[in-house]
C-alpha cells in the first residue's frame, strides 16, 4: 500500500538580517500553506509544516531528507511552497541556454537555489513520486529543469536527474511575478477552486489547464500556470488525479 508524505512551507516574512534589512512581508503565504496542508490531510497525507521563522535552510533540508528516509517505491512526496521567489545569476553554467539565471526559494535565513533542490530530489529512491506545488514569483523551473506541458520522458543528457518521478505545478513562469488575493495567493485560490474539495477528476495536465483558465478569467494574463516534469515518468503518475496517493 502506497503512503503519502507532505511538507508545506509558508513565509509571510523573512529574517531582515539576511535580506538587506527588509522582512519582505506578504499577507497570505501562510494562509496558502495552511490551505495546502488541509488539502493534503484530507487526501490522507502525513503532513508537516514549516512556517515563517521555522522555515530556515537547515530545517527545510532536514524536512525533505526526513521524508526521503521514509519513502519507498510507489509512495508520493508532496512539497508545497508559498512565499517569495527570487532570481540570481547562474553560478555553474547550467543556465547558458536559458535566461542565465537560477531560481530560488526565499527561506527565512537565505535563498535556496534550484540546483540544491534538484540535488535533494536526486537523493530519493527510484519509483517514488514527487509533486511540487509552488506559489511564488519566478517559479517555473524552481525544481531545476523539466519539459513543460508534456508527458514525454526528459532526456538525461549529462545532467544529474532524479530517479524519482517529479512533477512541478507552478503559479508563474520564471520571468513572472506572483500576486496575492484577499484570502490566498491568486494561484492557490484558483487551484483550490478547481480542486473543489476533491471533485476534480482530470489528470495533471487537465488540472493545470483548468487552473490557468480560471486564473486568466478572474485576473487576466499577469501570471501563467506552469506544469513540468523531470525524472522517469510512469504512465500511472502522469495520468493520476492530482494529490492521489
Amino acid at each position: 500500500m502506497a503512503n503519502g508524505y507532505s511538507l508545506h512551507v509558508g513565509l509571510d516574512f523573512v529574517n531582515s538580517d539576511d535580506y538587506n534589512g527588509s522582512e519582505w512581508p506578504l499577507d497570505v503565504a501562510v494562509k496558502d500553506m495552511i490551505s495546502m496542508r488541509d488539502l493534503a490531510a484530507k487526501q490522507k497525507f502525513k503532513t508537516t509544516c514549516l512556517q515563517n521563522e521555522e522555515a530556515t535552510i537547515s530545517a527545510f533540508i532536514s524536512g525533505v531528507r526526513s521524508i526521503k528516509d521514509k519513502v519507498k517505491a510507489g509512495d508520493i512526496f508532496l512539497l508545497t511552497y508559498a512565499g517569495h521567489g527570487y532570481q540570481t545569476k547562474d553560478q555553474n553554467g547550467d543556465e547558458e541556454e536559458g535566461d542565465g539565471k537560477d531560481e530560488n526559494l526565499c527561506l527565512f535565513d537565505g535563498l535556496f537555489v534550484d540546483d540544491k533542490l534538484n540535488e535533494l530530489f536526486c537523493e530519493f529512491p527510484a519509483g517514488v513520486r514527487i509533486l511540487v506545488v509552488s506559489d511564488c514569483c519566478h517559479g517555473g523551473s524552481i525544481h531545476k529543469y523539466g519539459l513543460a506541458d508534456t508527458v514525454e520522458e526528459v532526456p538525461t543528457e549529462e545532467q544529474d536527474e532524479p530517479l524519482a518521478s517529479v512533477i512541478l505545478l507552478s503559479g508563474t513562469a520564471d520571468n513572472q511575478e506572483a500576486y496575492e488575493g484577499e484570502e490566498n495567493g491568486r494561484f492557490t485560490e484558483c487551484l483550490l477552486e478547481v480542486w473543489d474539495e476533491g471533485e476534480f477528476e482530470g489528470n495533471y495536465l487537465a488540472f493545470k489547464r483548468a487552473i490557468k483558465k480560471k486564473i486568466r478569467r478572474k485576473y487576466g494574463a499577469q501570471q501563467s500556470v506552469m506544469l513540468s516534469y523531470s525524472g522517469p515518468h510512469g504512465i500511472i503518475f502522469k495520468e493520476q488525479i492530482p494529490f492521489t496517493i
Side-chain angles (χ1 to χ4, degrees), residues 28 32 135 171 176-194 210-225:
V28 299
D32 289 343
D135 194 340
Q176 293 179 326
E177 295 181 355
Y179 295 88
E180 295 189 302
E182 293 183 4
E183 296 297 327
N184 290 104
R186 291 181 182 180
F187 167 64
T188 300
E189 172 190 306
C190 292
L191 180 154
L192 294 171
E193 291 177 5
V194 171
I211 298 169
K212 180 178 179 179
K213 181 178 180 180
K214 183 173 284 289
I215 201 170
R216 289 198 169 189
R217 186 171 65 244
K218 294 182 71 170
Y219 297 112
Q222 290 177 305
Q223 64 184 90
S224 301
V225 179

Side-chain angles (χ1 to χ4, degrees), residues 24 29 31 37 51 57 93 95 102 109 113 177 185 204 236 239:
W24 288 11
K31 290 182 180 178
R37 178 206 62 192
Q51 175 178 328
I57 293 172
E95 302 282 355
D102 284 322
D109 57 348
V113 68
E177 295 181 355
Y204 282 97
I236 295 175
E239 295 301 326

Side-chain angles (χ1 to χ4, degrees), residues 13-223:
F13 60 88
V14 294
N15 185 13
S16 60
D17 291 341
D18 296 298
Y19 287 89
N20 296 319
S22 175
E23 291 187 345
W24 288 11
L26 292 168
D27 293 325
V28 299
V30 170
K31 290 182 180 178
D32 289 343
M33 181 200 73
I34 293 170
S35 294
M36 294 306 299
R37 178 206 62 192
D38 292 348
L39 185 159
K42 289 179 181 178
Q43 292 295 107
K44 308 303 182 183
F45 282 80
K46 300 174 178 67
T47 65
T48 305
C49 293
L50 293 174
Q51 175 178 328
N52 294 330
E53 60 266 75
E54 298 172 343
T56 62
I57 293 172
S58 62
F60 178 75
I61 293 173
S62 296
V64 174
R65 282 183 169 156
S66 69
I67 293 173
K68 179 263 297 182
D69 291 337
K70 298 174 185 175
V71 293
K72 62 183 184 305
D75 290 345
I76 183 169
F77 167 40
L78 169 62
L79 172 63
T80 73
Y81 174 81
H84 282 292
Y86 194 74
Q87 288 185 307
T88 53
K89 184 178 179 180
D90 175 37
Q91 296 297 311
N92 61 5
D94 62 350
E95 302 282 355
E96 290 179 354
E97 295 182 2
D99 58 6
K101 296 178 180 179
D102 284 322
E103 283 67 49
N104 300 259
L105 301 177
C106 297
L107 298 177
F108 182 71
D109 57 348
L111 302 178
F112 197 78
V113 68
D114 52 9
D115 301 86
K116 295 297 184 183
L117 186 57
N118 180 65
E119 288 177 10
L120 284 178
F121 289 166
C122 285
E123 297 179 12
F124 280 72
V128 172
R129 295 162 292 152
I130 300 175
L131 172 60
V132 183
V133 179
S134 174
D135 194 340
C136 68
C137 299
H138 314 299
S141 62
I142 200 68
H143 68 329
K144 185 60 205 153
Y145 54 84
L147 292 181
D149 294 349
T150 180
V151 295
E152 300 297 326
E153 298 291 335
V154 178
T156 57
E157 298 177 351
E158 296 181 357
Q159 303 182 73
D160 291 328
E161 193 172 1
L163 295 174
S165 300
V166 184
I167 291 178
L168 169 66
L169 183 63
S170 171
T172 57
D174 284 345
N175 62 349
Q176 293 179 326
E177 295 181 355
Y179 295 88
E180 295 189 302
E182 293 183 4
E183 296 297 327
N184 290 104
R186 291 181 182 180
F187 167 64
T188 300
E189 172 190 306
C190 292
L191 180 154
L192 294 171
E193 291 177 5
V194 171
W195 177 243
D196 192 20
E197 299 290 340
E199 293 297 314
F200 182 81
E201 295 182 345
N203 61 18
Y204 282 97
L205 184 56
F207 192 49
K208 174 258 183 183
R209 288 173 173 169
I211 298 169
K212 180 178 179 179
K213 181 178 180 180
K214 183 173 284 289
I215 201 170
R216 289 198 169 189
R217 186 171 65 244
K218 294 182 71 170
Y219 297 112
Q222 290 177 305
Q223 64 184 90

Side-chain angles (χ1 to χ4, degrees), residues 222-237:
Q222 290 177 305
Q223 64 184 90
S224 301
V225 179
M226 306 296 293
L227 181 70
S228 59
Y229 305 84
S230 65
H233 313 300
I235 191 66
I236 295 175
F237 190 27

